[in-house]
Amino acid sequence: MADKEAPPRFTASGGDRISALPDGVRELVLSFLPAHEAIRTAVVARSWRDLWTRSPALRIIRWGSIEKFNQFVERLLRLHFSAPVSGRHPSSDPSAAPALLDSCHFEFGTPDFVDEENMIEKMAIYEKQTNYWFKCAVRCQVRVLQYCFSCNGGDPLELLDLNLVSGHLTKLELAGVSTGSNINLSGCPVLRDLKTEDCYLDVWEIRSPYLQHLRIANCRFILLNRTLIRLPNLISLELTECSGRAPFLDSMPSLAAAIVTFDSHNWDDSCSLSSIDVCGSDDCEGCDYYYYDPNTGHRDCLLLNGLSEATKLELSAYPETVVFRRDLKFAHTFGKLKTLVLADWFVADDLSALIWFLHHSPILEKLTLHISKVHENAITAEQSCKLPEPSVASSHLKIVEIKCHQVDAIVIEILKILTAHGVPAEQINIKCSTGSGCVNFKCTGFSTKLR
């Protein structure tokens, strides 16, 4: 077998070529293996003995029984804490400075425990230990930390403390976890990217003066009151397919692009009467303390003011979800907005939302409208809306795309509004989805007799 003192021996078939690679390359290769497999390479040769400890990444994936897996991870972390990095000598002292890591990935899930005896008791112990492992990874000065638990419809894994302090963490990804602790990342000055997916967020606040990119997908905000998202340096935001009560967005002056979708009937902000104003019904949970924010004590715009600095914006929701339409009563002008996508919710209330954006987006260049179907409360031929006065948007708006099933009364009303705002019919592209596919065509004019 090859070692550092002798070059690797190659068989006639060309074996053991990996040992001929420089250490940096071999360490990178090991970073793609699960940790329990990377460790096994220590027996390949003397030159491989501690190579895994210098790998830039740890991938900790559940295997074996809970007891064996727990023992393995505990030993793995102790060994990694004492691993030599950048000339640092090994140390058996557990309080020694931890080894630097580029990334650490934890991946486990409920199916890993289905065959375990006393699964509930063991899961409680396991949950406590995984919280410790999470903190250890942060202490290892990890730059990218991924913590993924696949709950498969069951309860997520509770992560107790997300008030993190790290001078090295740049990216944090959480999946399948629950937290009742405020997410305060003010102690992470280089953290720029946070992603959460399939999580339960029972938190009053998500805070960081440094974060630039936030993605919250398929999560549930389970706090009765609203979660305040305070990220003044955020550049991009994705809030998609979530449930519970919509969060309260604080001012984000650096925001460039945002996608916010309420394409789920699980949002608690759906009015039973689809009312723009708080309907006053005692049975309507969506209107109960709708605008009240316990963090500020004020009633105000929930989302749109926080998004008002964006240059690219996508807003999608069922018409029954009233957040966007109610926000328009308090929203500021979108003075930087150049690209806007609206889906479904804007068709309600005589298309007043569309008219609002045309009047409050003075440099809008591209507008895309998605209409998935004609809703019960949509405009009919007998309920033509009052045409608005032209807006300043007409001088900048160059492209309008309407994506629909068919050119019906709703589309005709939209065309009337656009032309009233000075948008030439030739700049409007309509895509109709039919049973045989999609049909694209340019609008060259229309007649109200088509209604």
Side-chain angles (χ1 to χ4, degrees):
M1 298 176 68
D3 57 30
K4 287 186 177 181
E5 288 73 28
R9 293 174 298 182
F10 298 96
T11 65
S13 61
D16 199 17
R17 293 183 178 179
I18 295 180
S19 292
L21 296 173
D23 281 359
V25 177
R26 288 186 291 167
E27 292 165 358
L28 181 61
V29 171
L30 290 181
S31 70
F32 293 99
L33 294 176
H36 62 279
E37 294 182 4
I39 289 176
R40 293 172 182 172
T41 63
V43 300
V44 171
R46 185 180 303 173
S47 64
W48 288 77
R49 184 180 303 168
D50 63 353
L51 197 65
W52 68 270
T53 65
R54 300 195 298 274
S55 174
L58 277 180
R59 293 178 55 84
I60 301 174
I61 297 175
R62 170 69 203 279
W63 59 272
S65 67
I66 291 181
E67 289 83 359
K68 289 183 178 180
F69 180 66
N70 288 348
Q71 292 173 4
F72 165 76
V73 177
E74 292 291 332
R75 180 169 174 78
L76 173 68
L77 292 175
R78 285 199 301 270
L79 289 172
H80 192 78
F81 265 53
S82 60
V85 173
S86 302
R88 191 188 306 148
H89 295 288
S91 170
S92 59
D93 182 4
S95 64
L100 298 178
L101 275 176
D102 283 331
S103 66
C104 185
H105 178 84
F106 293 91
E107 184 176 340
F108 27 73
T110 302
D112 298 328
F113 305 96
V114 293
D115 297 327
E116 295 278 353
E117 295 182 1
N118 303 320
M119 186 183 75
I120 296 178
E121 295 180 9
K122 290 183 178 180
M123 274 293 293
I125 298 174
Y126 183 74
E127 193 169 62
K128 182 178 180 180
Q129 289 178 306
T130 54
N131 272 266
Y132 169 71
W133 299 340
F134 181 84
K135 293 180 179 179
C136 283
V138 176
R139 287 181 57 199
C140 281
Q141 302 179 18
V142 66
R143 295 176 177 86
V144 177
L145 177 55
Q146 298 171 305
Y147 192 84
C148 305
F149 183 79
S150 177
C151 48
N152 287 337
D155 293 333
L157 193 70
E158 186 172 5
L159 201 56
L160 299 176
D161 188 4
L162 282 173
N163 293 302
L164 304 182
V165 177
S166 171
H168 297 80
L169 188 64
T170 62
K171 184 176 182 179
L172 175 62
E173 296 185 18
L174 303 173
V177 302
S178 171
T179 181
S181 168
N182 286 342
I183 301 177
N184 187 350
L185 304 173
S186 301
C188 302
V190 296
L191 181 63
R192 298 293 181 264
D193 199 327
L194 172 63
K195 296 182 180 180
T196 64
E197 187 170 355
D198 297 319
C199 295
Y200 283 10
L201 303 176
D202 188 10
V203 300
W204 287 94
E205 188 176 39
I206 299 175
R207 170 195 290 264
S208 171
Y210 313 107
L211 201 68
Q212 294 181 350
H213 308 283
L214 173 64
R215 181 175 186 266
I216 303 178
N218 295 298
C219 294
R220 179 162 183 81
F221 293 90
I222 58 179
L223 196 67
L224 179 61
N225 294 305
R226 303 196 183 277
T227 298
L228 173 63
I229 297 181
R230 182 169 289 170
L231 306 170
N233 282 308
L234 202 67
I235 296 174
S236 68
L237 169 68
E238 289 187 40
L239 179 62
T240 60
E241 303 297 331
C242 295
S243 59
R245 287 180 77 79
F248 188 103
L249 298 183
D250 204 2
S251 174
M252 295 184 286
S254 300
L255 189 66
I259 299 174
V260 181
T261 68
F262 291 87
D263 296 336
S264 168
H265 289 294
N266 294 320
W267 282 102
D268 296 337
D269 294 308
S270 296
C271 178
S272 57
L273 302 178
S274 297
S275 173
I276 296 180
D277 297 311
V278 177
C279 68
S281 172
D282 294 335
D283 299 325
C284 185
E285 295 182 0
C287 293
D288 187 26
Y289 299 109
Y290 179 81
Y291 284 108
Y292 181 69
D293 173 52
N295 298 287
T296 63
H298 299 296
R299 298 177 184 272
D300 203 347
C301 185
L302 295 181
L303 299 173
L304 292 185
N305 279 348
L307 303 172
S308 61
E309 300 294 333
T311 59
K312 185 177 182 180
L313 185 61
E314 179 175 337
L315 303 175
S316 175
Y318 287 117
E320 294 84 1
T321 304
V322 295
V323 175
F324 294 140
R325 289 185 286 130
R326 288 182 177 174
D327 269 9
L328 291 177
K329 297 189 299 181
F330 302 94
H332 301 157
T333 294
F334 283 73
K336 301 177 182 178
L337 190 62
K338 294 185 177 182
T339 302
L340 174 64
V341 179
L342 301 177
D344 286 333
W345 66 276
F346 73 94
V347 303
D349 302 306
D350 66 15
L351 295 171
S352 58
L354 172 60
I355 297 171
W356 189 95
F357 275 103
L358 290 173
H359 280 267
H360 293 81
S361 307
I363 62 171
L364 187 64
E365 297 176 354
K366 181 178 180 180
L367 173 64
T368 302
L369 304 174
H370 291 263
I371 307 170
S372 62
K373 62 181 180 179
V374 177
H375 303 278
E376 292 181 0
N377 60 340
I379 301 169
T380 65
E382 292 76 23
Q383 295 174 321
S384 177
C385 62
K386 182 180 179 181
L387 294 180
E389 296 294 327
S391 70
V392 294
S394 59
S395 61
H396 293 272
L397 192 56
K398 304 301 180 183
I399 302 174
V400 177
E401 295 179 345
I402 301 175
K403 299 181 180 181
C404 57
H405 288 292
Q406 61 182 358
V407 180
D408 54 16
I410 285 291
V411 176
I412 295 300
E413 294 296 338
I414 291 173
L415 293 175
K416 290 169 60 178
I417 290 173
L418 293 173
T419 54
H421 281 79
V423 181
E426 294 78 11
Q427 292 180 193
I428 303 173
N429 178 47
I430 302 176
K431 176 185 284 188
C432 292
S433 59
T434 65
S436 57
C438 293
V439 177
N440 292 285
F441 58 89
K442 290 282 187 180
C443 180
T444 58
F446 67 97
S447 170
T448 55
K449 293 181 180 180
L450 292 175
R451 295 187 298 144

